[in-house]
Amino acid sequence: MDEKQLTRESFLAYLKELQQERSDRPILKTMEILSGKWRIQLLYVLSQHDRCRFGELRRAVAGITPTMLTSSLRELEKQGIIHKERYNEVPPRVEYSLTPAGEDLLPIFYEIARWSQRHLPEDEDFPM
């Protein structure tokens, strides 16, 4: 569906069709995967880089604790959205990257960026 065709009515009709076919479960599962304070932010950071190490992700996502970062990364890896590459080195090195399924989320980030440019004023006080 291109941007000009997408209306609230066409979206609701699409959802109604999926619900009648009992095939809206993937949509609900996707929303569950992406929900949470940290997951979408982590995916946004990973979408800007080929790969990131744990410390880089921690610095890029303000306020996240190491425990929550670990938990969020494990869940995204379990869902097949990110890939964790372990290197057998001393000290150990681990890098995270988007899988092809994760890269399929890039158009969503593009649309979020376009929406925010149109509808949100710049706020210099927003923590990043």
Side-chain angles (χ1 to χ4, degrees), residues 41-70:
Q41 291 181 52
L42 289 169
L43 291 172
Y44 177 69
V45 171
L46 286 169
S47 73
Q48 298 173 62
H49 306 280
D50 288 335
R51 61 187 62 86
C52 283
R53 295 180 70 178
F54 187 90
E56 293 169 325
L57 289 168
R58 186 166 176 218
R59 285 187 296 278
V61 180
I64 194 167
T65 64
T67 302
M68 188 52 71
L69 177 55
T70 299

Side-chain angles (χ1 to χ4, degrees), residues 94-128:
V94 177
E95 294 179 339
Y96 298 89
S97 59
L98 293 176
T99 63
E103 289 177 356
D104 282 348
L105 293 168
L106 294 177
I108 295 169
F109 288 117
Y110 174 75
E111 290 302 322
I112 290 171
R114 288 186 52 202
W115 182 90
S116 65
Q117 290 296 313
R118 288 191 308 262
H119 299 286
L120 298 178
E122 282 195 37
D123 183 359
E124 294 179 17
D125 294 334
F126 188 77
M128 286 303 285

